[in-house]
Amino acid sequence: MSNIEQIRFRTKVCFIASQGVLKTPESTLKLNLSEQYILSYLIENHSTPVTKDDLLKVGWPDRIVTEASLFQVIRALRVKLNEKTKGDVIETLPRVGYQIREFTREHVDLSEQKSNSTISKINKKTIISAIILTSTLLGSGAWYMYPPQTEPTHFLIEHDHIGNNSITFISQTLEQQLDLRNKTKKIFSQQLNKYGKMTITDKRI
């Protein structure tokens, strides 16, 4: 069995430090390194306020950054932790720093989780396949029992050229044929009036 620890916040988002991800029932979100370091440090020191200077050192161990970088990470974490109200998870302590709000530690069996996920995918595929097969059989049966009663359809087919465009007009009546021709010529005429030239060229329509 492969057990890992996850931190569940009041917003129903879980943090798996060993993987550096935030998880909800719908999604998994990978945190960048600064976000991982800062969130982990806040969790480890949840019983005491953490200063901005401490978080600056923890979040960027190899370089010096300004408080603006810290504010940006805290703001990003609030969004990713689904804070509806500022301070639901990360509480700001004026002139001091930050402190994490309440959370619970849980242990998750990854092998069981993976197995359930695989079973779920198989079940979904089976259900979808069954629906498609059933629909196909019902449709085939209905067509066999009640074949479509349609009269033969005859079409008028005419070819024409507008500019260097080759156009084929297909209709059922002469009126439709004339209507198609007039609408097509109007489109080309509008292009010619607007741009001074035909913008539709070398087309086979």
Side-chain angles (χ1 to χ4, degrees):
M1 293 217 176
S2 146
N3 288 331
I4 60 169
E5 182 185 72
Q6 70 177 15
I7 305 297
R8 181 180 296 274
F9 301 102
R10 60 191 301 183
T11 55
K12 310 301 182 187
V13 178
C14 295
F15 175 50
I16 303 178
S18 60
Q19 298 177 353
V21 299
L22 292 177
K23 294 193 71 173
T24 68
E26 298 79 27
S27 64
T28 299
L29 182 63
K30 181 72 173 179
L31 298 180
N32 65 42
L33 287 178
S34 294
E35 291 169 344
Q36 293 179 44
Y37 295 156
I38 288 172
L39 185 55
S40 295
Y41 192 78
L42 286 169
I43 291 169
E44 291 169 7
N45 298 275
H46 66 276
S47 58
T48 57
V50 177
T51 67
K52 296 175 185 176
D53 288 339
D54 287 340
L55 291 178
L56 285 170
K57 294 174 185 176
V58 168
W60 296 269
D62 300 325
R63 56 196 178 103
I64 298 174
V65 298
T66 65
E67 287 188 2
S69 298
L70 176 60
F71 296 152
Q72 186 176 353
V73 168
I74 294 294
R75 185 166 57 247
L77 285 173
R78 292 190 196 281
V79 173
K80 294 174 181 180
L81 289 165
N82 289 343
E83 282 197 357
K84 302 303 180 186
T85 304
K86 186 177 179 180
D88 280 346
V89 178
I90 301 175
E91 184 179 5
T92 300
L93 304 174
R95 296 184 298 278
V96 178
Y98 301 94
Q99 189 170 2
I100 207 80
R101 296 292 294 270
E102 64 267 19
F103 59 83
T104 56
R105 294 183 185 272
E106 303 173 346
H107 285 84
V108 181
D109 184 355
L110 281 185
S111 59
E112 181 180 346
Q113 200 174 58
K114 185 175 180 180
S115 174
N116 290 337
S117 175
T118 304
I119 291 172
S120 176
K121 288 179 181 178
I122 292 173
N123 287 339
K124 284 181 182 178
K125 288 182 179 179
T126 303
I127 291 170
I128 292 171
S129 299
I131 291 173
I132 293 173
L133 180 59
T134 302
S135 300
T136 303
L137 291 174
L138 288 175
S140 301
W143 183 87
Y144 180 78
M145 294 177 65
Y146 306 100
Q149 303 295 322
T150 57
E151 295 294 328
T153 301
H154 300 282
F155 294 99
L156 295 176
I157 301 176
E158 296 287 343
H159 303 281
D160 201 356
H161 288 83
I162 299 180
N164 60 357
N165 298 292
S166 176
I167 302 175
T168 301
F169 299 94
I170 303 173
S171 63
Q172 289 182 312
T173 66
L174 184 58
E175 291 178 352
Q176 292 175 352
Q177 185 77 208
L178 292 173
D179 184 51
L180 280 174
R181 284 177 172 273
N182 289 334
K183 287 179 178 176
T184 303
K185 288 179 179 178
K186 184 177 180 181
I187 291 172
F188 280 94
S189 177
Q190 288 173 344
Q191 293 286 317
L192 190 60
N193 292 335
K194 185 173 182 180
Y195 300 104
K197 63 178 182 179
M198 286 190 186
T199 58
I200 303 174
T201 59
D202 300 316
K203 302 294 182 184
R204 186 171 177 223
I205 306 173

mmCIF file of all heavy atoms in Angstrom, residues 103-128:
data_model
loop_
_atom_site.group_PDB
_atom_site.id
_atom_site.type_symbol
_atom_site.label_atom_id
_atom_site.label_comp_id
_atom_site.label_asym_id
_atom_site.label_seq_id
_atom_site.Cartn_x
_atom_site.Cartn_y
_atom_site.Cartn_z
ATOM 1 N N PHE A 103 -7.056 23.271 9.508
ATOM 2 C CA PHE A 103 -7.007 22.248 8.470
ATOM 3 C C PHE A 103 -6.949 20.897 9.151
ATOM 4 O O PHE A 103 -6.766 20.797 10.370
ATOM 5 C CB PHE A 103 -5.785 22.445 7.561
ATOM 6 C CG PHE A 103 -4.467 22.394 8.289
ATOM 7 C CD1 PHE A 103 -3.850 21.184 8.582
ATOM 8 C CD2 PHE A 103 -3.846 23.568 8.704
ATOM 9 C CE1 PHE A 103 -2.638 21.137 9.250
ATOM 10 C CE2 PHE A 103 -2.629 23.526 9.377
ATOM 11 C CZ PHE A 103 -2.032 22.320 9.653
ATOM 12 N N THR A 104 -7.115 19.843 8.384
ATOM 13 C CA THR A 104 -7.023 18.487 8.923
ATOM 14 C C THR A 104 -6.003 17.693 8.103
ATOM 15 O O THR A 104 -5.860 17.906 6.894
ATOM 16 C CB THR A 104 -8.381 17.753 8.870
ATOM 17 O OG1 THR A 104 -8.869 17.747 7.515
ATOM 18 C CG2 THR A 104 -9.393 18.448 9.762
ATOM 19 N N ARG A 105 -5.300 16.786 8.799
ATOM 20 C CA ARG A 105 -4.330 15.922 8.115
ATOM 21 C C ARG A 105 -5.002 14.583 7.818
ATOM 22 O O ARG A 105 -5.652 13.998 8.687
ATOM 23 C CB ARG A 105 -3.108 15.699 8.999
ATOM 24 C CG ARG A 105 -2.290 16.968 9.242
ATOM 25 C CD ARG A 105 -1.050 16.667 10.074
ATOM 26 N NE ARG A 105 -0.324 17.879 10.408
ATOM 27 C CZ ARG A 105 0.616 18.429 9.636
ATOM 28 N NH1 ARG A 105 0.949 17.830 8.500
ATOM 29 N NH2 ARG A 105 1.235 19.538 10.007
ATOM 30 N N GLU A 106 -4.831 14.113 6.623
ATOM 31 C CA GLU A 106 -5.428 12.846 6.211
ATOM 32 C C GLU A 106 -4.379 11.989 5.516
ATOM 33 O O GLU A 106 -3.387 12.515 4.988
ATOM 34 C CB GLU A 106 -6.595 13.078 5.239
ATOM 35 C CG GLU A 106 -7.695 13.969 5.772
ATOM 36 C CD GLU A 106 -8.746 14.301 4.729
ATOM 37 O OE1 GLU A 106 -8.483 14.070 3.531
ATOM 38 O OE2 GLU A 106 -9.809 14.803 5.104
ATOM 39 N N HIS A 107 -4.612 10.687 5.520
ATOM 40 C CA HIS A 107 -3.733 9.777 4.783
ATOM 41 C C HIS A 107 -4.550 9.091 3.690
ATOM 42 O O HIS A 107 -5.642 8.593 3.934
ATOM 43 C CB HIS A 107 -3.105 8.738 5.710
ATOM 44 C CG HIS A 107 -2.002 9.304 6.550
ATOM 45 N ND1 HIS A 107 -2.249 9.957 7.734
ATOM 46 C CD2 HIS A 107 -0.643 9.354 6.351
ATOM 47 C CE1 HIS A 107 -1.105 10.369 8.257
ATOM 48 N NE2 HIS A 107 -0.113 10.022 7.443
ATOM 49 N N VAL A 108 -4.011 9.130 2.495
ATOM 50 C CA VAL A 108 -4.730 8.608 1.330
ATOM 51 C C VAL A 108 -3.977 7.427 0.754
ATOM 52 O O VAL A 108 -2.750 7.470 0.618
ATOM 53 C CB VAL A 108 -4.865 9.708 0.247
ATOM 54 C CG1 VAL A 108 -5.635 9.173 -0.959
ATOM 55 C CG2 VAL A 108 -5.555 10.932 0.819
ATOM 56 N N ASP A 109 -4.719 6.372 0.414
ATOM 57 C CA ASP A 109 -4.129 5.198 -0.229
ATOM 58 C C ASP A 109 -4.155 5.422 -1.739
ATOM 59 O O ASP A 109 -5.194 5.343 -2.377
ATOM 60 C CB ASP A 109 -4.941 3.954 0.141
ATOM 61 C CG ASP A 109 -4.312 2.683 -0.417
ATOM 62 O OD1 ASP A 109 -3.310 2.795 -1.152
ATOM 63 O OD2 ASP A 109 -4.830 1.590 -0.129
ATOM 64 N N LEU A 110 -2.999 5.717 -2.306
ATOM 65 C CA LEU A 110 -2.923 6.028 -3.736
ATOM 66 C C LEU A 110 -3.302 4.840 -4.611
ATOM 67 O O LEU A 110 -3.911 4.995 -5.649
ATOM 68 C CB LEU A 110 -1.506 6.480 -4.095
ATOM 69 C CG LEU A 110 -1.137 7.923 -3.742
ATOM 70 C CD1 LEU A 110 0.245 8.223 -4.282
ATOM 71 C CD2 LEU A 110 -2.139 8.896 -4.294
ATOM 72 N N SER A 111 -2.930 3.621 -4.186
ATOM 73 C CA SER A 111 -3.224 2.447 -5.002
ATOM 74 C C SER A 111 -4.729 2.251 -5.125
ATOM 75 O O SER A 111 -5.251 1.945 -6.186
ATOM 76 C CB SER A 111 -2.577 1.205 -4.399
ATOM 77 O OG SER A 111 -3.040 0.989 -3.078
ATOM 78 N N GLU A 112 -5.444 2.466 -4.009
ATOM 79 C CA GLU A 112 -6.903 2.323 -4.041
ATOM 80 C C GLU A 112 -7.532 3.424 -4.876
ATOM 81 O O GLU A 112 -8.461 3.186 -5.639
ATOM 82 C CB GLU A 112 -7.447 2.376 -2.606
ATOM 83 C CG GLU A 112 -8.966 2.200 -2.538
ATOM 84 C CD GLU A 112 -9.462 2.252 -1.100
ATOM 85 O OE1 GLU A 112 -8.634 2.150 -0.184
ATOM 86 O OE2 GLU A 112 -10.672 2.401 -0.911
ATOM 87 N N GLN A 113 -6.978 4.623 -4.738
ATOM 88 C CA GLN A 113 -7.497 5.765 -5.490
ATOM 89 C C GLN A 113 -7.331 5.526 -6.985
ATOM 90 O O GLN A 113 -8.215 5.787 -7.781
ATOM 91 C CB GLN A 113 -6.739 7.029 -5.065
ATOM 92 C CG GLN A 113 -7.447 8.322 -5.389
ATOM 93 C CD GLN A 113 -6.702 9.504 -4.804
ATOM 94 O OE1 GLN A 113 -5.523 9.722 -5.095
ATOM 95 N NE2 GLN A 113 -7.363 10.273 -3.980
ATOM 96 N N LYS A 114 -6.142 5.011 -7.362
ATOM 97 C CA LYS A 114 -5.867 4.741 -8.768
ATOM 98 C C LYS A 114 -6.780 3.642 -9.298
ATOM 99 O O LYS A 114 -7.295 3.699 -10.406
ATOM 100 C CB LYS A 114 -4.405 4.333 -8.932
ATOM 101 C CG LYS A 114 -3.984 4.147 -10.377
ATOM 102 C CD LYS A 114 -2.505 3.857 -10.453
ATOM 103 C CE LYS A 114 -2.057 3.677 -11.905
ATOM 104 N NZ LYS A 114 -0.617 3.384 -11.995
ATOM 105 N N SER A 115 -7.011 2.615 -8.464
ATOM 106 C CA SER A 115 -7.882 1.512 -8.868
ATOM 107 C C SER A 115 -9.299 2.000 -9.097
ATOM 108 O O SER A 115 -9.948 1.659 -10.081
ATOM 109 C CB SER A 115 -7.859 0.425 -7.785
ATOM 110 O OG SER A 115 -8.782 -0.580 -8.087
ATOM 111 N N ASN A 116 -9.794 2.829 -8.159
ATOM 112 C CA ASN A 116 -11.151 3.371 -8.298
ATOM 113 C C ASN A 116 -11.275 4.221 -9.544
ATOM 114 O O ASN A 116 -12.285 4.198 -10.242
ATOM 115 C CB ASN A 116 -11.518 4.203 -7.067
ATOM 116 C CG ASN A 116 -11.723 3.349 -5.841
ATOM 117 O OD1 ASN A 116 -12.011 2.153 -5.964
ATOM 118 N ND2 ASN A 116 -11.592 3.925 -4.665
ATOM 119 N N SER A 117 -10.208 4.990 -9.827
ATOM 120 C CA SER A 117 -10.218 5.848 -11.007
ATOM 121 C C SER A 117 -10.280 5.013 -12.279
ATOM 122 O O SER A 117 -11.014 5.323 -13.215
ATOM 123 C CB SER A 117 -8.972 6.724 -11.012
ATOM 124 O OG SER A 117 -8.892 7.480 -12.184
ATOM 125 N N THR A 118 -9.494 3.906 -12.305
ATOM 126 C CA THR A 118 -9.484 3.032 -13.477
ATOM 127 C C THR A 118 -10.839 2.376 -13.678
ATOM 128 O O THR A 118 -11.370 2.311 -14.789
ATOM 129 C CB THR A 118 -8.400 1.939 -13.320
ATOM 130 O OG1 THR A 118 -7.136 2.567 -13.099
ATOM 131 C CG2 THR A 118 -8.344 1.059 -14.547
ATOM 132 N N ILE A 119 -11.432 1.887 -12.573
ATOM 133 C CA ILE A 119 -12.753 1.251 -12.647
ATOM 134 C C ILE A 119 -13.787 2.245 -13.153
ATOM 135 O O ILE A 119 -14.642 1.924 -13.972
ATOM 136 C CB ILE A 119 -13.162 0.700 -11.264
ATOM 137 C CG1 ILE A 119 -12.262 -0.495 -10.895
ATOM 138 C CG2 ILE A 119 -14.626 0.278 -11.259
ATOM 139 C CD1 ILE A 119 -12.446 -0.987 -9.479
ATOM 140 N N SER A 120 -13.685 3.464 -12.651
ATOM 141 C CA SER A 120 -14.629 4.505 -13.063
ATOM 142 C C SER A 120 -14.534 4.764 -14.556
ATOM 143 O O SER A 120 -15.544 4.890 -15.251
ATOM 144 C CB SER A 120 -14.348 5.792 -12.288
ATOM 145 O OG SER A 120 -15.179 6.828 -12.717
ATOM 146 N N LYS A 121 -13.290 4.832 -15.076
ATOM 147 C CA LYS A 121 -13.105 5.066 -16.501
ATOM 148 C C LYS A 121 -13.674 3.913 -17.319
ATOM 149 O O LYS A 121 -14.316 4.108 -18.348
ATOM 150 C CB LYS A 121 -11.614 5.242 -16.813
ATOM 151 C CG LYS A 121 -11.037 6.561 -16.314
ATOM 152 C CD LYS A 121 -9.569 6.654 -16.642
ATOM 153 C CE LYS A 121 -8.981 7.971 -16.122
ATOM 154 N NZ LYS A 121 -7.524 8.056 -16.384
ATOM 155 N N ILE A 122 -13.424 2.663 -16.851
ATOM 156 C CA ILE A 122 -13.927 1.491 -17.569
ATOM 157 C C ILE A 122 -15.451 1.497 -17.583
ATOM 158 O O ILE A 122 -16.081 1.245 -18.606
ATOM 159 C CB ILE A 122 -13.401 0.193 -16.911
ATOM 160 C CG1 ILE A 122 -11.888 0.083 -17.118
ATOM 161 C CG2 ILE A 122 -14.111 -1.029 -17.484
ATOM 162 C CD1 ILE A 122 -11.242 -1.065 -16.378
ATOM 163 N N ASN A 123 -16.052 1.820 -16.422
ATOM 164 C CA ASN A 123 -17.510 1.860 -16.349
ATOM 165 C C ASN A 123 -18.085 2.900 -17.298
ATOM 166 O O ASN A 123 -19.091 2.675 -17.965
ATOM 167 C CB ASN A 123 -17.963 2.156 -14.917
ATOM 168 C CG ASN A 123 -17.766 0.949 -14.000
ATOM 169 O OD1 ASN A 123 -17.668 -0.177 -14.482
ATOM 170 N ND2 ASN A 123 -17.709 1.176 -12.701
ATOM 171 N N LYS A 124 -17.447 4.064 -17.351
ATOM 172 C CA LYS A 124 -17.929 5.125 -18.245
ATOM 173 C C LYS A 124 -17.861 4.667 -19.697
ATOM 174 O O LYS A 124 -18.795 4.861 -20.471
ATOM 175 C CB LYS A 124 -17.093 6.390 -18.058
ATOM 176 C CG LYS A 124 -17.418 7.152 -16.787
ATOM 177 C CD LYS A 124 -16.580 8.413 -16.679
ATOM 178 C CE LYS A 124 -16.875 9.159 -15.377
ATOM 179 N NZ LYS A 124 -16.017 10.370 -15.240
ATOM 180 N N LYS A 125 -16.720 4.038 -20.066
ATOM 181 C CA LYS A 125 -16.573 3.563 -21.439
ATOM 182 C C LYS A 125 -17.617 2.502 -21.766
ATOM 183 O O LYS A 125 -18.188 2.479 -22.855
ATOM 184 C CB LYS A 125 -15.166 3.000 -21.655
ATOM 185 C CG LYS A 125 -14.074 4.063 -21.700
ATOM 186 C CD LYS A 125 -12.725 3.435 -21.963
ATOM 187 C CE LYS A 125 -11.616 4.494 -22.026
ATOM 188 N NZ LYS A 125 -10.293 3.886 -22.255
ATOM 189 N N THR A 126 -17.869 1.589 -20.803
ATOM 190 C CA THR A 126 -18.849 0.521 -21.018
ATOM 191 C C THR A 126 -20.232 1.097 -21.223
ATOM 192 O O THR A 126 -20.976 0.684 -22.123
ATOM 193 C CB THR A 126 -18.862 -0.440 -19.810
ATOM 194 O OG1 THR A 126 -17.548 -0.961 -19.618
ATOM 195 C CG2 THR A 126 -19.832 -1.578 -20.047
ATOM 196 N N ILE A 127 -20.603 2.074 -20.389
ATOM 197 C CA ILE A 127 -21.928 2.686 -20.484
ATOM 198 C C ILE A 127 -22.093 3.398 -21.816
ATOM 199 O O ILE A 127 -23.109 3.262 -22.502
ATOM 200 C CB ILE A 127 -22.154 3.674 -19.319
ATOM 201 C CG1 ILE A 127 -22.262 2.891 -18.004
ATOM 202 C CG2 ILE A 127 -23.416 4.494 -19.534
ATOM 203 C CD1 ILE A 127 -22.255 3.778 -16.770
ATOM 204 N N ILE A 128 -21.068 4.174 -22.221
ATOM 205 C CA ILE A 128 -21.142 4.906 -23.483
ATOM 206 C C ILE A 128 -21.262 3.948 -24.660
ATOM 207 O O ILE A 128 -22.063 4.152 -25.579
ATOM 208 C CB ILE A 128 -19.910 5.816 -23.642
ATOM 209 C CG1 ILE A 128 -19.961 6.943 -22.609
ATOM 210 C CG2 ILE A 128 -19.846 6.403 -25.050
ATOM 211 C CD1 ILE A 128 -18.688 7.770 -22.544
#
